[in-house]
Amino acid sequence: MKEELLSLTPQELTETMRALGEGAFRGRQVFSWLHKGASFEEMSNLPKALREALAGRYDAQPVSILDTVTSKLDGTVKLLYRLRDGHVVEGVLMRYHYGNTLCVSTQVGCRMGCAFCASTLEGCARSLTAGEMIGQIVCANALLASRGEQERVGNVVLMGSGEPLDNYDNVVRFLRLLREEDGLRIGMRSVSLSTCGLVPQMRRFAGEGLPVTLSLSLHAPNDAIRRRLMPVAKAYAMDEVLAACREYIDKTGRRAIVEYALVRGVNALPEHARELASRLRGMRVHVNLIPLNSVPERALMGVSEAEVAAFLGELRARNISATRRREMGDDIEGACGQLRRRYLQENRE
Ligand code: SAH
């Protein structure tokens, strides 16, 4: 396979251009083109011989769109992307009044094994490169442009398939590329990183100087329940996870989000809400209650709206900031990993 350029920083691209006998300014030119989604052929301010030399050695765009499904209700778009080695990952483009948010995948599948999640059913095939994460945004931007939209992707949530902190170096590289002046220019305040709670990586990430919003997938008020839903809870106790979350909040000055999917018969009773409130007391967090998307392969069920409201009421009565997550694209398969699974099943037969 050819080498990929989209993972490189402007400085690294400058070195690459120098090695080809080109002037240093070519690095920034190529960087800017790549992040606009251009092929080498389209890089009109480069000499033809250079474009051909690059095309012979490198792939300009490591991601392409395989399929899209658009919601008639709210314009949410589910995207299925193809990577160069034939793997597929998915994403969701959400249209909010404040702009376009893209949900980006960080791995092909996931090895964290959460009981409710479709992304983990077949384990993790591999981690994505930084360029493959950038490439998802580049593809979504091209889709928006092709539909005559003025705005591009302005916000990014690392909530697609994969555990971002299990692909630490590539994710950090991706975040640094994201804010480049000649690239996508997406600032860290417009990014959320969701983690199942890998404590050492959370601590390390707090020191990177990348003040994204940390989203912690907690899903339980205590260790016993958390271990039933999330194998990672066997490695790290909730106290440690919450301490690492506090450290992140203190170092970055940013409020964190606690994700909590309500699962019938497991974590959704009023007493669980009260226990959660006591665990989170004094922390600068907002709780996002997620109605469970049931995954046919998993025998877990969500709860009724009345139960969501009761849970929310218990939290608010204890001064915990909380909301029920708005569902997007209810008429398309909005849930984690499900479009991809269907695609894989259909293409296996
Ligand atoms: N690995 C990261 C990010 C990926 S998932 C993490 O664990 O946070 C993004 C969010 O969707 C997580 O909070 C995850 O727990 C949640 N999620 C996964 N499957 C779900 C389902 N079936 N219903 C509701 N939320 C789900």
Side-chain angles (χ1 to χ4, degrees), residues 218 221 238-239 242-243 245-246 249-250 258 270-287 314-321:
L218 198 61
M238 224 169 105
D239 275 342
L242 292 176
C245 185
R246 266 190 219 100
I249 297 166
D250 291 344
V258 166
E271 70 202 54
H272 297 137
R274 293 193 285 271
E275 192 177 2
L276 178 66
S278 79
R279 297 297 287 261
L280 299 180
R281 186 164 301 136
M283 279 179 80
R284 276 183 65 207
V285 293
H286 177 84
V287 178
E314 293 286 345
L315 292 178
R316 287 183 176 160
R318 285 159 186 78
N319 288 318
I320 302 289
S321 151

Coordinates of all heavy atoms in Angstrom, one line a residue, residues 218 221 238-239 242-243 245-246 249-250 258 270-287 314-321:
L218 N -19.9 6.6 32.2 CA -20.0 6.1 33.5 C -21.0 4.9 33.6 O -20.7 3.8 34.0 CB -20.3 7.2 34.5 CG -19.9 6.9 36.0 CD1 -18.4 6.6 36.1 CD2 -20.3 8.0 36.9
P221 N -23.9 3.8 39.0 CA -23.7 4.5 40.3 C -22.7 3.9 41.2 O -22.3 4.5 42.2 CB -25.1 4.6 40.9 CG -25.7 3.3 40.5 CD -25.1 2.9 39.2
M238 N -14.4 2.9 40.3 CA -15.1 4.1 40.0 C -14.4 5.3 40.7 O -14.4 6.4 40.2 CB -16.5 4.0 40.4 CG -17.5 4.6 39.4 SD -19.2 4.2 39.7 CE -19.7 5.7 40.3
D239 N -14.0 5.1 41.9 CA -13.3 6.2 42.6 C -12.1 6.7 41.8 O -11.8 7.9 41.8 CB -12.7 5.7 44.0 CG -13.8 5.8 45.1 OD1 -14.8 6.5 44.8 OD2 -13.7 5.1 46.1
L242 N -13.3 8.6 38.7 CA -13.8 9.9 39.0 C -12.7 10.9 39.5 O -12.7 12.1 39.2 CB -14.9 9.8 40.1 CG -16.2 9.2 39.7 CD1 -17.2 9.0 40.8 CD2 -16.9 9.9 38.5
A243 N -11.7 10.3 40.1 CA -10.5 11.2 40.5 C -9.8 11.6 39.3 O -9.4 12.8 39.2 CB -9.6 10.4 41.4
C245 N -11.1 12.1 36.4 CA -12.0 13.0 35.7 C -11.9 14.4 36.4 O -11.8 15.4 35.8 CB -13.5 12.5 35.8 SG -14.7 13.5 34.9
R246 N -11.8 14.4 37.7 CA -11.6 15.6 38.5 C -10.3 16.3 38.1 O -10.2 17.5 37.9 CB -11.6 15.3 40.0 CG -13.0 15.5 40.6 CD -12.9 15.5 42.2 NE -14.0 14.8 42.7 CZ -14.0 13.5 43.0 NH1 -12.9 12.8 43.1 NH2 -15.1 12.9 43.4
I249 N -10.7 18.0 34.9 CA -11.5 19.3 35.0 C -10.6 20.4 35.6 O -10.6 21.5 35.2 CB -12.7 19.0 35.9 CG1 -13.7 18.0 35.2 CG2 -13.5 20.3 36.2 CD1 -14.8 17.4 36.2
D250 N -9.9 20.0 36.7 CA -9.0 21.0 37.3 C -7.9 21.5 36.4 O -7.6 22.7 36.4 CB -8.3 20.4 38.6 CG -9.3 20.1 39.7 OD1 -10.5 20.7 39.6 OD2 -9.0 19.4 40.6
V258 N -20.8 13.5 32.0 CA -21.0 12.1 32.5 C -22.1 11.5 31.6 O -23.2 11.9 31.6 CB -21.3 12.0 34.0 CG1 -21.8 10.6 34.3 CG2 -20.1 12.4 34.8
P270 N -34.7 4.9 40.8 CA -34.5 6.2 41.5 C -33.4 6.0 42.5 O -32.6 7.0 42.7 CB -35.9 6.4 42.2 CG -36.9 5.7 41.3 CD -36.2 4.5 40.8
E271 N -33.2 4.9 43.2 CA -32.2 4.7 44.2 C -30.8 4.8 43.5 O -29.8 5.2 44.1 CB -32.3 3.4 44.9 CG -32.0 2.2 44.1 CD -32.7 0.9 44.7 OE1 -33.9 0.9 44.9 OE2 -32.0 -0.1 44.9
H272 N -30.7 4.4 42.2 CA -29.5 4.5 41.5 C -29.1 5.9 41.2 O -28.0 6.4 41.2 CB -29.5 3.7 40.2 CG -29.7 2.2 40.4 ND1 -30.6 1.4 39.6 CD2 -29.1 1.4 41.3 CE1 -30.5 0.2 40.1 NE2 -29.7 0.1 41.1
A273 N -30.2 6.7 40.9 CA -30.0 8.1 40.6 C -29.5 8.8 41.9 O -28.6 9.6 41.8 CB -31.3 8.7 40.2
R274 N -30.0 8.4 43.0 CA -29.6 9.0 44.3 C -28.1 8.7 44.6 O -27.4 9.5 45.0 CB -30.5 8.6 45.4 CG -32.0 9.2 45.3 CD -32.8 9.0 46.6 NE -33.2 7.6 46.8 CZ -34.4 7.1 46.3 NH1 -35.2 7.9 45.6 NH2 -34.7 5.8 46.5
E275 N -27.8 7.4 44.3 CA -26.4 7.0 44.6 C -25.4 7.8 43.6 O -24.4 8.2 44.0 CB -26.3 5.5 44.4 CG -25.0 5.0 44.9 CD -24.9 3.4 44.8 OE1 -25.8 2.8 44.3 OE2 -23.8 2.9 45.2
L276 N -25.9 7.9 42.4 CA -25.1 8.6 41.4 C -24.9 10.1 41.8 O -23.7 10.6 41.8 CB -25.7 8.6 40.0 CG -25.0 9.3 38.9 CD1 -23.7 8.7 38.5 CD2 -25.9 9.4 37.6
A277 N -25.9 10.7 42.3 CA -25.8 12.1 42.7 C -24.8 12.2 43.9 O -24.0 13.2 43.9 CB -27.2 12.6 43.2
S278 N -24.8 11.2 44.8 CA -23.9 11.4 45.9 C -22.4 11.2 45.4 O -21.5 11.8 45.9 CB -24.3 10.4 47.0 OG -23.9 9.1 46.7
R279 N -22.2 10.3 44.4 CA -20.9 10.1 43.9 C -20.4 11.3 43.2 O -19.2 11.6 43.1 CB -20.8 8.9 42.9 CG -21.2 7.6 43.5 CD -20.2 7.2 44.6 NE -18.9 6.7 44.2 CZ -18.6 5.5 44.0 NH1 -19.4 4.5 44.3 NH2 -17.3 5.2 43.6
L280 N -21.3 12.1 42.5 CA -20.9 13.2 41.7 C -20.9 14.6 42.4 O -20.6 15.6 41.9 CB -21.8 13.3 40.5 CG -21.8 12.1 39.5 CD1 -22.7 12.3 38.3 CD2 -20.4 11.8 39.0
R281 N -21.3 14.5 43.7 CA -21.5 15.8 44.4 C -20.2 16.6 44.4 O -19.1 16.1 44.6 CB -21.9 15.5 45.9 CG -22.2 16.7 46.7 CD -23.0 16.4 47.9 NE -24.2 15.7 47.6 CZ -24.7 14.6 48.3 NH1 -24.0 14.1 49.3 NH2 -25.8 14.1 48.0
G282 N -20.3 17.9 44.1 CA -19.2 18.8 44.1 C -18.3 18.7 42.9 O -17.4 19.5 42.7
M283 N -18.7 17.9 41.9 CA -17.9 17.8 40.7 C -18.5 18.7 39.7 O -19.7 18.8 39.6 CB -17.8 16.4 40.1 CG -16.8 15.5 40.8 SD -16.9 13.8 40.1 CE -16.0 14.0 38.6
R284 N -17.6 19.4 38.9 CA -18.2 20.2 37.8 C -18.5 19.4 36.6 O -17.8 19.3 35.6 CB -17.2 21.3 37.4 CG -17.2 22.5 38.3 CD -16.2 23.5 37.8 NE -16.6 24.1 36.5 CZ -15.7 24.6 35.6 NH1 -14.4 24.5 35.9 NH2 -16.1 25.0 34.5
V285 N -19.6 18.6 36.7 CA -20.0 17.8 35.6 C -21.5 18.0 35.2 O -22.3 18.5 36.0 CB -19.9 16.3 35.9 CG1 -18.4 15.9 36.1 CG2 -20.7 15.9 37.2
H286 N -21.8 17.6 34.0 CA -23.2 17.6 33.5 C -23.5 16.2 33.2 O -22.7 15.5 32.5 CB -23.4 18.5 32.3 CG -24.8 18.5 31.8 ND1 -25.8 19.3 32.3 CD2 -25.3 17.8 30.8 CE1 -26.9 19.0 31.6 NE2 -26.6 18.1 30.7
V287 N -24.6 15.7 33.6 CA -25.0 14.3 33.3 C -25.9 14.3 32.1 O -26.9 15.0 32.0 CB -25.7 13.6 34.5 CG1 -26.2 12.2 34.2 CG2 -24.8 13.6 35.8
E314 N -34.6 13.0 40.2 CA -33.8 12.6 41.4 C -32.5 13.4 41.4 O -32.0 13.9 42.4 CB -33.6 11.1 41.5 CG -34.8 10.3 41.8 CD -35.3 10.4 43.2 OE1 -34.6 10.9 44.1 OE2 -36.4 9.9 43.5
L315 N -31.9 13.4 40.2 CA -30.6 14.1 40.0 C -30.7 15.6 40.3 O -30.0 16.2 41.0 CB -30.0 13.8 38.6 CG -29.5 12.4 38.3 CD1 -29.0 12.3 36.9 CD2 -28.5 11.9 39.3
R316 N -31.7 16.2 39.6 CA -31.9 17.6 39.7 C -32.3 18.0 41.1 O -31.8 19.1 41.6 CB -33.0 18.1 38.7 CG -32.4 18.0 37.3 CD -33.5 18.5 36.3 NE -32.9 18.6 35.0 CZ -33.7 18.6 33.9 NH1 -35.0 18.6 34.0 NH2 -33.1 18.6 32.7
A317 N -33.0 17.2 41.8 CA -33.4 17.5 43.2 C -32.1 17.6 44.1 O -32.2 18.2 45.1 CB -34.4 16.5 43.7
R318 N -31.1 16.9 43.6 CA -29.8 17.0 44.4 C -28.8 17.9 43.7 O -27.6 17.8 44.0 CB -29.3 15.5 44.5 CG -30.1 14.7 45.5 CD -29.9 13.3 45.4 NE -30.9 12.6 46.3 CZ -32.2 12.5 46.1 NH1 -32.8 13.0 45.0 NH2 -33.0 12.0 47.1
N319 N -29.3 18.9 43.0 CA -28.5 19.9 42.3 C -27.4 19.3 41.4 O -26.4 19.9 41.2 CB -27.8 20.8 43.4 CG -28.8 21.7 44.0 OD1 -29.7 22.2 43.3 ND2 -28.7 21.8 45.3
I320 N -27.7 18.2 40.8 CA -26.8 17.7 39.7 C -27.4 18.2 38.4 O -28.5 17.9 38.1 CB -26.8 16.2 39.8 CG1 -26.3 15.6 41.1 CG2 -25.8 15.6 38.6 CD1 -24.9 15.9 41.5
S321 N -26.6 18.9 37.6 CA -27.0 19.4 36.3 C -27.1 18.1 35.4 O -26.2 17.3 35.3 CB -26.0 20.4 35.8 OG -25.9 20.4 34.4

